[in-house]
């Protein structure tokens, strides 16, 4: 198991952590199997999506903000219920397949840490499954 | 593998099942690895989110109802298509990491069974992965 | 690991791949454990939901299109950002439990490949975890 720290800079942000995943595979010498990437936060998430055009990230964050906006009827005093919802919609973990020491990802896929209530210091955990 | 039963009381409800997960780990004597929590229902889900302020649960259910309302154009005769959609958005399983016999969860994280079309008798399955 | 190919026929479509999963289990002779179903695409997804009434699929796709429509403010030149968002909301993988050679699925559950930007030739990967 390895915990990496991530310093986010904005309220909403998608940070490419595919390199961190590859580092973990190398350090572990994991040739074949699966790895979970898990974040222990309730206003963040982990997802796999396009890592080519940065406009996709822009659009995803914009779309998620439209899907889960702040709402008047929310009661939670911290005012970040929109982010809690985004966290459960996107999910706090991804399971990544590994073969020949490399993550099985499509041509356009990268692994992302999603910040929904930053800026904050965040943790991302990798573990063999 | 262990199947636990859950009696839900409302149409929409988030029930903290972290204690059930800890019980499973103790019974299995699982020290290190991962556990899947899976629900075999199509209008329910499993998620990890805040277990401190109950207002977060209130806001999450309210937000999900806004995101996936009942819609006139729905054709399914049971009238619960909104709940089927919520089930696939939130997801019917979570993979939980385990170390030293304890689930790896953040300070504010708990495991939740999400009812979207209750009240009903529901099942939740735990299994080592 | 096994890669199956799927030819989708519409822009949005849910294709039942439970039979493909059962085939994989038979070929592998997997009696007990778990299998991941993963799609290496960024505008597709994998989910578990009802496989009885086809109207549920109709309603799910309709609901998802309402939840993540095309939006004017999107910048991505391909014009499919709505589909990227759906992919991360539904998720690109499912973990399926296996006992006695059979997937543990509820009475009404089936495994679905979700196309959000078709028609295309797609891949779905099965692997023991």
């Amino acid at each position: 198991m390895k915990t990496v720290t991530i310093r986010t800079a904005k309220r909403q942000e998608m940070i490419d952590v595919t390199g961190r995943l590859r580092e973990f595979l190398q350090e572990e010498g994991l040739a074949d199997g699966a790895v979970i990437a898990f974040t222990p936060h309730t206003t963040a998430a982990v997802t796999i999506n396009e890592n080519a055009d940065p406009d996709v990230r822009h659009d995803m964050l914009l779309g998620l903000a439209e899907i889960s906006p702040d709402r008047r009827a929310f009661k939670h005093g911290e005012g970040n219920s929109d982010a809690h919802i985004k966290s459960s919609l996107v999910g706090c973990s991804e399971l990544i397949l590994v073969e020949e020491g490399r993550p099985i990802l499509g041509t356009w896929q990268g692994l992302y840490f999603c910040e929904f209530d930053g800026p904050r210091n965040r943790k991302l955990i990798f573990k063999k499954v």
Side-chain angles (χ1 to χ4, degrees), chain A residues 60-118:
Chain A
M60 287 183 66
L61 292 173
L62 185 150
L64 287 169
E66 293 283 341
I67 290 164
S68 177
D70 191 25
R71 298 187 196 269
R72 280 199 194 177
F74 284 163
K75 296 205 277 186
H76 180 47
E78 279 189 89
N80 61 356
S81 291
D82 64 313
H84 284 288
I85 292 167
K86 285 173 201 158
S87 175
S88 278
L89 289 177
V90 175
C92 60
S93 69
E94 283 286 356
L95 190 60
I96 300 113
L97 299 177
V98 178
E99 286 217 333
E100 295 173 10
R102 275 168 294 181
I104 297 178
L105 290 169
T107 315
W108 311 109
Q109 282 182 327
L111 181 68
Y112 286 94
F113 175 85
C114 304
E115 172 63 84
F116 296 129
D117 191 37

Side-chain angles (χ1 to χ4, degrees), chain A residues 9-49:
Chain A
K10 300 176 194 165
R11 178 152 202 263
Q12 282 206 78
E13 197 175 358
M14 286 177 70
I15 295 171
D16 192 332
V17 291
T18 318
R20 302 285 191 106
L21 169 66
R22 289 186 204 278
E23 272 170 38
F24 174 73
L25 296 182
Q26 269 193 325
E27 287 163 17
E28 290 283 310
L30 181 61
D32 186 84
V35 167
I36 187 172
F38 166 77
T39 184
H41 305 288
T42 57
T43 54
V46 178
T47 197
I48 292 170
N49 215 298

